[in-house]
Amino acid sequence: MSKWLHLLIAIAFIASLAVVSCQSAPATPAASSPAKSEAAKAEAPKSEPAKAGAPKPAAAAPSGKVVIATTVDANTLDFMRMNTVNPEWVLASHIFDSLVWRDENMKIQPDLAESWKLINDTTWEFKLRKGVKFQDGEPFNAAAVKFTFDRAMDPATKSTDQVVKFVGLDRVEIVDDYTVRLITKAPAPTMLTRLSIFWILPPKYYSENSPEVVASKPVGSGPWKFVEWVKNDHITLEANTEYWKGAPSIKTLVFRPIPEVGTRIAELKSGGVDIAPTIPPDQAKSVETATTRLEGIEGGRRVFIGFHVTKGSPMEDKRVRQALNYAVDVDAIAKALLGGYGKRRFTAVMPADADPALKPYTYDPAKAKQLLAEAGYPNGFETVLDSPMGRYVKDKEVAQAVADYLTKVGVKTTVKPLDWATYAGQMLMARKTDPLFLLGWSGLFDPVVDMGAIDHEQALNPT
């Protein structure tokens, strides 16, 4: 028996620190640029949806270029095969559209679907937007919606996307060219939340090209079109001047994977990039100059230490898991390593959805040792903590600090740092982690969805 428990030690909410360079800013201020979404670790901002039947507003032609540093390169640009969220989902949100999307206040808004309603407990009907074209000229219609969901449900696709699974989709029915029904096996209260991250594809392009082609040359209906991907160097997007919401103001977006934080900062200062995300708190003040602006973004990611529980392992005992929680001084780690930019979280849901009466574990090493003894481990035991390197702010350092605290109560913990591609692709998705693992969970600002993060039967989407 093997399972993962996701609500664990040291759940922390870490704000993303991004530096925006002003020395080579485009005409549109970088602070309001859609390219800023990667730095903000949030969904890509989009234009306000045009009112039905209203003409597109007149706008200047796209101009300028924004270069965004990312912490890692994408593994694939086929969102149905993605095993990580950033930068892949950020890139996808620039290239594709979904039936619904979230605005800057995280409220669900119409996108490719103009409206929707429940026909019965298991049938959602969506009225689709007319006049939308994909970037290859294909028309958007009900057939494109059905094709996309059918592709996700086809075993041959080997989809890692969890939307179909989580809503319990049974089938898609076309009512007419611009009306489609999603029929689920049981009531799906999180349908709209899930659909906000499910992008619609052009059927002809995705059915006529190989998986390798569509994974490296995506086509959607979004505000930017894919141009080029040079692995481990850059991904370039160009403005879609025929975008149904109106062309974006920025002509060119370039995403550059720069894992090493010192290099990201150096590139920012030299003008090599315009936006640099995930700045370590201890370097925050040093990079804020007359030509740069530092922004702390409070997003939805929770970084935590997870338990991989196997039959007969110490982690199987609830008292052991409780002991490890008591053993770690989370507040001290946040203060020492995150410089005040991290906030402690102790539930799987966002603060607004949590019971205000809930309190986090206190730091009590004596209680930890007592619980370990009661569980049959008076002398502790040895374990391993897996951690990515450079994926999150101070991830490896946080893991080492946790390991040090656990070792002090007798649980000798060795940290195993890994590059993100190996960690996410080969270990997390295959569930081959060691007994402890550091990971980030980006909830969808929906308490039902967030609670799924601690259900070991649900597949995990590392972010």
Side-chain angles (χ1 to χ4, degrees), residues 180-225:
V180 68
R181 290 180 177 176
L182 303 186
I183 300 169
T184 58
K185 299 171 185 176
T190 64
M191 174 68 81
L192 298 179
T193 298
R194 295 292 183 181
L195 292 184
S196 68
I197 56 168
F198 188 85
W199 294 285
I200 306 302
L201 307 174
K204 186 174 184 293
Y205 179 80
Y206 278 80
S207 60
E208 292 183 354
N209 287 284
S210 69
E212 292 73 25
V213 169
V214 301
S216 59
K217 298 178 180 179
V219 171
S221 63
W224 280 274
K225 298 189 291 186

Side-chain angles (χ1 to χ4, degrees), residues 405-457:
Y405 276 112
L406 298 183
T407 298
K408 288 178 182 178
V409 298
V411 180
K412 185 178 180 181
T413 305
T414 301
V415 174
K416 183 193 293 183
L418 298 155
D419 67 90
W420 180 245
T422 301
Y423 191 58
Q426 298 179 25
M427 298 185 66
L428 292 174
M429 300 311 292
R431 297 191 174 223
K432 294 182 179 179
T433 65
D434 285 299
L436 298 173
F437 56 93
L438 184 146
L439 189 61
W441 167 262
S442 288
L444 295 179
F445 296 85
D446 183 314
V448 177
V449 174
D450 286 342
M451 287 305 295
I454 63 172
D455 181 355
H456 70 271
E457 295 300 328

Side-chain angles (χ1 to χ4, degrees), residues 17-26 30 36 39 66-70 254 256 258 260-280 283-295:
L17 287 177
V19 179
V20 181
S21 171
C22 302
Q23 57 195 3
S24 57
K36 180 172 169 267
V66 172
V67 182
I68 307 104
T70 62
V254 178
R256 290 182 53 197
I258 306 176
E260 210 284 314
V261 66
T263 306
R264 285 202 300 276
I265 292 174
E267 284 290 300
L268 180 85
K269 290 181 176 179
S270 68
V273 300
D274 299 299
I275 299 175
T278 319
I279 302 300
Q283 298 187 51
K285 297 301 181 183
S286 67
V287 298
E288 193 168 21
T289 69
T291 58
T292 59
R293 182 174 72 254
L294 181 71
E295 294 190 5

Side-chain angles (χ1 to χ4, degrees), residues 81-132:
R81 293 188 174 91
M82 293 177 179
N83 58 21
T84 182
V85 171
N86 289 303
E88 293 170 348
W89 282 14
V90 168
L91 285 158
S93 66
H94 287 72
I95 298 168
F96 302 99
D97 288 317
S98 47
L99 293 178
V100 301
W101 70 290
R102 288 187 184 272
D103 62 18
E104 64 275 13
N105 297 313
M106 303 309 294
K107 302 298 183 183
I108 295 290
Q109 301 289 354
D111 205 31
L112 291 177
E114 290 186 319
S115 63
W116 51 86
K117 64 180 179 181
L118 271 174
I119 301 299
N120 55 51
D121 286 351
T122 59
T123 303
W124 291 74
E125 183 175 278
F126 294 84
K127 293 293 185 180
L128 306 179
R129 196 174 298 277
K130 298 178 181 179
V132 175

